[in-house]
Amino acid sequence: MTWHEIEREQLAQALRVVTPDAPTLCEGWQARHLAAHVVLRERNPVVGAGIAVPALAALAESRIAALADQATTEGSYRDLVARVADRPAAWHPAAWVADTRNVIEFFVHTEDVRRGAGPVPARDVDPDLVEALWGQLKRTGGLRLRKVPVGVVLVRDDGVRHHLRSPKGDHGTVVVHGEVGELALYLFGRGAAADIAIDGERNDVATIEKILPSR
């Protein structure tokens, strides 16, 4: 199995062990909303595009809410989670970019479910998955920092570093420390639930905290 297939099953399993209205780290979403998002992201063009096109965001949210509203009972919710576990057809565009698009997506959403009700023990992450996540953070993590004027260096718990973004203007650089999975959560806006530490000048730390809060 590829990592996106393994992480899809991890996400489905995390959804199976909670109730439809279980809280998640996604503001305003219960478990059924997150499941509906995953299903429609791969199967509904409007929801897929709404992630990147602001003009479609409201319509995408309404379709997610409509599907989530159909999954309020135990049985209907389990049926929805079964659709999360099902991979798109081989001919579907979502299947062509599965590894590059879904590994971090599914990893983060699994933690959204696991940590929604509060802190839980960290998952044991396979070293190969760590490298897969790290590779994606290096390639795309900078996109998460478009509005951040300070420079950002990521430092893994094993000391490996990556310069993700250079500072602008008079700003300096902050260093974000943590395990790779925690760094992924931080860059995806889940800093309050991530076990990371940020070092840098006070003003630079305060600047990035306004955009990507870590507490």
Side-chain angles (χ1 to χ4, degrees), residues 41-110:
R41 169 179 169 269
E42 295 184 323
R43 294 167 174 81
N44 185 293
V46 170
V47 175
I51 298 170
V53 181
L56 295 176
L59 181 56
E61 284 287 341
S62 70
R63 294 191 178 181
I64 290 169
L67 182 57
D69 286 345
Q70 299 173 24
T72 56
T73 66
E74 187 70 18
S76 60
Y77 173 68
R78 298 305 166 196
D79 290 342
L80 181 59
V81 173
R83 296 177 66 187
V84 171
D86 285 340
R87 289 174 288 171
W91 54 263
H92 195 285
W96 306 342
V97 293
D99 264 341
T100 57
R101 184 181 182 190
N102 284 338
V103 176
I104 280 188
E105 177 87 9
F106 291 158
F107 178 89
V108 170
H109 281 328
T110 298

Side-chain angles (χ1 to χ4, degrees), residues 4 9 39 41 43 77 79 83 95 97 118 120 132 135 137-139 143 147 157 162 170 184-185 190 194:
H4 79 268
E9 179 53 35
V39 168
R41 169 179 169 269
R43 294 167 174 81
Y77 173 68
D79 290 342
R83 296 177 66 187
V97 293
V120 294
L137 286 182
K138 291 196 296 182
R139 288 191 296 272
L143 298 176
K147 298 179 180 180
D157 58 331
H162 178 68
D170 295 331
L185 290 174
R190 280 73 164 179

Side-chain angles (χ1 to χ4, degrees), residues 68-183:
D69 286 345
Q70 299 173 24
T72 56
T73 66
E74 187 70 18
S76 60
Y77 173 68
R78 298 305 166 196
D79 290 342
L80 181 59
V81 173
R83 296 177 66 187
V84 171
D86 285 340
R87 289 174 288 171
W91 54 263
H92 195 285
W96 306 342
V97 293
D99 264 341
T100 57
R101 184 181 182 190
N102 284 338
V103 176
I104 280 188
E105 177 87 9
F106 291 158
F107 178 89
V108 170
H109 281 328
T110 298
E111 296 307 307
D112 286 336
V113 178
R114 293 182 69 247
R115 305 185 192 203
V120 294
R123 289 169 57 189
D124 288 329
V125 182
D126 187 285
D128 288 340
L129 176 56
V130 168
E131 297 307 324
L133 293 171
W134 182 244
Q136 289 197 10
L137 286 182
K138 291 196 296 182
R139 288 191 296 272
T140 65
L143 298 176
R144 299 276 166 181
L145 302 173
R146 290 187 299 268
K147 298 179 180 180
V148 176
V150 302
V152 177
V153 173
L154 304 180
V155 180
R156 297 165 34 154
D157 58 331
D158 59 5
V160 175
R161 304 167 65 91
H162 178 68
H163 187 104
L164 196 59
R165 184 175 180 83
S166 296
K168 296 182 178 180
D170 295 331
H171 289 283
T173 295
V174 300
V175 181
V176 186
H177 304 262
E179 295 183 357
V180 171
E182 304 301 311
L183 294 173

Side-chain angles (χ1 to χ4, degrees), residues 149-152 167 170-177 197-210 215:
V150 302
V152 177
D170 295 331
H171 289 283
T173 295
V174 300
V175 181
V176 186
H177 304 262
I198 304 176
D199 293 329
E201 294 293 332
R202 182 170 58 184
N203 290 342
D204 293 324
V205 172
T207 296
I208 197 169
E209 283 287 342
K210 291 178 182 177
R215 52 182 179 271

